[in-house]
Amino acid sequence: MTPPSAGSPLHVLLIHRRDATEGYGPYLTDEGFRVTEANDSDDGVTKALAVRPDVIVLYFDLDGETTGRLKAHASTRGIPVIALAKLAEVRARGAV
């Protein structure tokens, strides 16, 4: 987990597979965001409930189940979720 910067206005929870999205946490931190990282859906939902981030960036493969679980909780359903994907992976899945 990347430690949050005290002066950063927005807290981002990055739920991802490190092998697919390595570098996103440090990039967001360098851009001035406070970043908390989660390694999978379970870890992401637990951390979202604990830290209540301003926005969640979620790896595409984890989107369906994780988003449903986040939206099921009153305390996290209002948090915007951005799905992150590599174009090649989206194309490989076909139309979405």
Side-chain angles (χ1 to χ4, degrees), residues 9-86:
L10 290 177
H11 189 169
V12 177
L13 173 59
L14 177 60
I15 305 173
H16 63 132
R17 284 187 1 228
R18 289 186 194 277
D19 62 323
T21 55
E22 186 176 349
Y24 284 102
Y27 172 78
L28 290 168
T29 300
D30 288 347
E31 291 299 312
F33 295 96
R34 290 182 294 143
V35 178
T36 298
E37 294 185 53
N39 299 315
D40 57 35
S41 183
D42 291 336
D43 189 30
V45 171
T46 299
K47 287 181 177 170
L49 290 166
V51 303
R52 307 250 175 96
D54 297 299
V55 65
I56 296 170
V57 176
L58 176 63
Y59 183 63
F60 184 71
D61 279 354
L62 303 172
D63 182 40
E65 174 197 349
T66 307
T67 301
R69 291 174 60 197
L70 291 165
K71 298 305 176 185
H73 290 278
S75 61
T76 56
R77 77 171 48 117
I79 300 171
V81 176
I82 300 168
L84 176 70
K86 292 181 181 176

